[in-house]
Amino acid sequence: MKKFYIIFLSAIFLILVLLIAIPFVFKNQIMEKVKQEVNKNVLAKVEWENFSVSLLRGFPNLKVSMKNLSVLGINKFEGDTLVAFDEFAIKVDLISIFSGKIKVKSIILDKPVVNAIVLPDSSVNWDITLPSEAESPVSEDTSASSAMVIKLKKFQINDGRISYNDKLYNMSASIKGLNFDLSGDFSEDFTNLNIVSTVSALTFTMDGLSYLKNAKLDFKSVIAADLVKYNFTFSENEIKLNDLKMGFEGSFGMPNDIDMTMDIRFFAKESEFKSILSMVPAVYMKDFEGI
């Protein structure tokens, strides 16, 4: 019996050593994979301060994270930050690393910042994909064209900020305090997607007129997704903008690469005067202070 305990404890110790050591063994391989994928698909300057790999935090999956990740513009947008994160983390299937095709299970963005810019000449800072080479032969085996396979079950945004500045049409918008949670199983042909999202401050301005100023937004939705036919049916949905509650139901589909089908109905869940009043443009709210 004593010998059995020694063997058992030795096995536990070996497992713990492997849990700690495996991430460091494969750290360089994973980092190179990530860099290769990024460099293949973007025309921008991508930087990050710290790259970490942990099996203990994501067990039985492997957690890969980058701290202070940023995507910086070049050429016309030199010095402008397109995207930045306090932390960009993904969980991948550990076994998939050995097969050479990394399966991504979840993506978590912590305090992301997105700055979208449109210049007067209509050029945009998010057009960072490299031009495709028309002369390149197209492989019939599309599954082998990428080193990553998305098998998402969770996509999460924590305390995000998004700004949009359109200098062509004199329009701007900003979102602060964005929290977004998408759960489902993208590895299945049919799945239910659950979305819960909140925004603490939504602002929209056009031609100097502020239509929304620090408005609050809540969004909940359940989507029945047919990922084979790309057909999505909406149910149990609710949008709350300030005090105005709205619902919507219907479907959206993409039967082919060109056509789109849409049948969506919006309706008000509450029609009280105070709900409508909460949507009055911010510039006019001083006229209603006594109501």
Side-chain angles (χ1 to χ4, degrees):
M1 182 64 70
K2 183 177 180 181
K3 185 177 181 181
F4 170 78
Y5 282 122
I6 293 175
I7 295 175
F8 177 75
L9 292 175
S10 299
I12 295 297
F13 177 75
L14 179 60
I15 291 173
L16 290 174
V17 170
L18 289 174
L19 289 175
I20 297 173
I22 286 177
F24 293 96
V25 173
F26 293 101
K27 180 176 181 177
N28 291 332
Q29 291 175 271
I30 295 173
M31 189 169 183
E32 286 304 314
K33 287 284 188 182
V34 173
K35 283 187 176 180
Q36 288 173 12
E37 290 299 312
V38 170
N39 292 329
K40 284 179 183 177
N41 296 286
V42 299
L43 186 60
K45 186 178 180 181
V46 181
E47 297 181 348
W48 60 78
E49 291 185 2
N50 184 42
F51 179 85
S52 63
V53 182
S54 173
L55 186 57
L56 292 174
R57 293 181 182 179
F59 188 82
N61 300 310
L62 196 66
K63 182 180 178 181
V64 183
S65 64
M66 287 177 280
K67 297 288 184 67
N68 296 324
L69 172 67
S70 63
V71 180
L72 306 176
I74 60 175
N75 301 327
K76 293 181 181 181
F77 301 98
E78 185 75 32
D80 291 327
T81 299
L82 172 59
V83 180
F85 307 95
D86 274 17
E87 182 179 23
F88 173 81
I90 63 174
K91 289 184 180 180
V92 301
D93 184 283
L94 179 61
I95 305 301
S96 70
I97 298 173
F98 298 95
S99 67
K101 293 186 71 66
I102 300 176
K103 295 181 180 179
V104 179
K105 293 293 191 71
S106 67
I107 299 176
I108 300 176
L109 312 180
D110 190 36
K111 294 185 178 180
V113 176
V114 179
N115 294 313
I117 302 173
V118 182
L119 295 180
D121 63 359
S122 75
S123 56
V124 297
N125 70 333
W126 61 84
D127 186 13
I128 61 173
T129 56
L130 292 172
S132 59
E133 298 180 5
E135 298 179 359
S136 300
V138 179
S139 173
E140 294 183 0
D141 185 9
T142 56
S143 63
S145 61
S146 175
M148 287 191 181
V149 178
I150 303 299
K151 297 285 186 180
L152 273 181
K153 291 189 177 181
K154 184 175 184 179
F155 176 72
Q156 184 175 318
I157 298 175
N158 299 319
D159 194 17
R161 289 189 290 130
I162 301 174
S163 66
Y164 174 75
N165 187 5
D166 190 330
K167 298 179 181 179
L168 179 62
Y169 292 105
N170 194 22
M171 179 171 56
S172 65
S174 67
I175 292 175
K176 297 179 181 179
L178 170 63
N179 292 285
F180 180 88
D181 193 291
L182 169 64
S183 59
D185 192 345
F186 284 84
S187 63
E188 300 291 334
D189 293 337
F190 303 91
T191 185
N192 283 328
L193 304 178
N194 295 283
I195 301 175
V196 178
S197 180
T198 60
V199 172
S200 61
L202 172 61
T203 300
F204 175 72
T205 303
M206 186 172 184
D207 291 330
L209 180 62
S210 180
Y211 290 90
L212 290 173
K213 186 176 181 180
N214 296 329
K216 295 182 179 180
L217 175 67
D218 295 283
F219 176 75
K220 296 179 182 179
S221 181
V222 177
I223 303 174
D226 182 344
L227 299 179
V228 177
K229 298 180 179 179
Y230 286 96
N231 189 63
F232 305 90
T233 303
F234 305 94
S235 62
E236 301 178 33
N237 308 285
E238 182 178 291
I239 302 174
K240 183 181 179 183
L241 188 57
N242 283 340
D243 291 329
L244 182 63
K245 289 184 179 180
M246 297 179 291
F248 67 95
E249 58 186 22
S251 63
F252 172 81
M254 299 177 63
N256 51 57
D257 294 336
I258 300 176
D259 300 323
M260 291 189 298
T261 61
M262 184 183 300
D263 182 12
I264 300 177
R265 182 177 70 92
F266 291 88
F267 52 91
K269 289 194 170 184
E270 293 183 4
S271 57
E272 295 183 6
F273 179 71
K274 67 176 183 179
S275 300
I276 307 299
L277 185 61
S278 71
M279 295 304 300
V280 172
V283 70
Y284 298 123
M285 282 305 295
K286 62 181 179 180
D287 299 325
F288 295 91
E289 289 179 355
I291 298 181

